[in-house]
């Protein structure tokens, strides 16, 4: 293997194709909205064959769920600062930054649309919600294990995430740090 090939291998072709497909989905959601593009459109935008997408993801809803989860996990990982207050402040700030970023509103609309679009879409939305709730619950369980009083995941959703999501969906942005911190402080 040449030095040039070794230099290009981080993640390899599969990782590059995955990133290109994810970006194509994000771009198409921003431009057209959920439900207004096909696997063929994603493949053409990403420069890959339709069969590559079907082989890797099986169906469009699975791909859309993967895009949403991958972005959420990369941009808004579950923090571990050593305290519930620190974790929630960091998490809320990360979420606010992600959902107001260039692709944030589109991904937020995607998550919403998946949850409300037919049986396959509902399953995909349920998968997305279940995974994110599981991750959030792990953060809350750590706090409980440290002896802190921790709310349940749905309480965090109701008091921190839902108000931010609603503001972004209705165009009431930016989410000022004082506003985001206030959501966490009121919950705690």
């Amino acid at each position: 293997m040449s030095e040039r090939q070794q230099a290009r291998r981080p993640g390899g072709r599969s990782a590059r194709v995955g990133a290109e497909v994810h970006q194509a989905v994000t771009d198409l959601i921003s431009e057209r909205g959920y439900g207004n593009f096909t696997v063929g459109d994603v493949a053409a935008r990403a420069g890959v064959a339709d069969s590559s997408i079907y082989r890797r993801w099986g169906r469009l809803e699975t791909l859309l769920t993967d895009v949403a989860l991958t972005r959420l996990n990369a941009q808004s990982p579950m923090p571990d600062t050593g305290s519930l207050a620190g974790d929630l402040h960091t998490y809320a700030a990360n979420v606010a930054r992600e959902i107001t970023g260039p692709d944030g509103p589109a991904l937020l609309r995607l998550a919403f649309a998946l949850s409300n679009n037919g049986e396959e879409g509902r399953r995909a939305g349920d998968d997305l919600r279940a995974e994110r709730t599981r991750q959030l619950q792990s953060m809350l369980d750590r706090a409980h294990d440290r002896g802190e009083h921790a709310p349940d995941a749905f309480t965090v959703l109701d008091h921190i995430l839902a108000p931010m999501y609603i503001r972004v969906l209705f165009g009431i942005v930016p989410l000022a740090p004082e506003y985001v911190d206030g959501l966490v402080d009121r919950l705690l």
Side-chain angles (χ1 to χ4, degrees), residues 23 26-27 30 71 98-109:
Q23 189 59 53
T26 303
D27 292 345
S30 293
R71 289 298 299 264
E98 172 62 14
I99 64 175
T100 59
D103 298 329
L107 290 168
L108 192 55
R109 286 189 297 273

Side-chain angles (χ1 to χ4, degrees), residues 16 30 95 119 145:
R16 278 194 315 279
S30 293
V95 169
E119 186 58 35
D145 292 346

Side-chain angles (χ1 to χ4, degrees), residues 2-187:
S2 73
E3 285 182 39
R4 181 172 175 248
Q5 287 173 319
Q6 288 175 343
R8 289 186 55 203
R9 286 301 295 167
R13 182 179 186 283
S14 180
R16 278 194 315 279
V17 167
E20 290 165 359
V21 168
H22 278 214
Q23 189 59 53
V25 166
T26 303
D27 292 345
L28 287 165
I29 290 168
S30 293
E31 293 168 15
R32 300 182 190 178
Y34 176 79
N36 296 315
F37 58 89
T38 65
V39 167
D41 295 329
V42 174
R45 176 71 61 99
V48 300
D50 295 18
S51 59
S52 295
I53 293 174
Y54 284 115
R55 187 171 38 257
R56 188 166 183 175
W57 288 281
R59 56 191 175 91
L60 184 58
E61 286 77 13
T62 303
L63 169 59
L64 297 175
T65 301
D66 185 48
V67 169
L69 272 174
T70 300
R71 289 298 299 264
L72 285 171
N73 291 336
Q75 300 298 320
S76 302
M78 291 299 149
D80 189 359
T81 65
S83 75
L84 180 59
D87 289 351
L88 287 174
H89 279 285
T90 301
Y91 177 64
N94 288 345
V95 169
R97 185 185 63 250
E98 172 62 14
I99 64 175
T100 59
D103 298 329
L107 290 168
L108 192 55
R109 286 189 297 273
L110 168 61
F112 181 75
L114 280 171
S115 296
N116 294 294
N117 188 35
E119 186 58 35
E120 283 190 26
R122 268 193 296 284
R123 272 197 309 270
D126 289 347
D127 291 347
L128 175 63
R129 189 173 42 258
E131 176 60 20
R132 207 54 180 164
T133 301
R134 184 196 63 73
Q135 293 170 351
L136 183 57
Q137 190 61 54
S138 71
M139 179 178 67
L140 298 170
D141 289 345
R142 281 195 312 269
H144 181 69
D145 292 346
R146 290 189 300 260
E148 297 177 87
H149 172 71
D152 64 53
F154 286 107
T155 300
V156 173
L157 176 66
D158 288 343
H159 290 88
I160 297 175
L161 299 179
M164 290 193 295
Y165 292 172
I166 292 297
R167 283 180 173 241
V168 171
L169 286 171
F170 286 102
I172 308 169
V173 288
L175 296 176
E178 303 79 34
Y179 172 76
V180 175
D181 284 340
L183 293 173
V184 174
D185 292 340
R186 282 188 294 282
L187 173 63

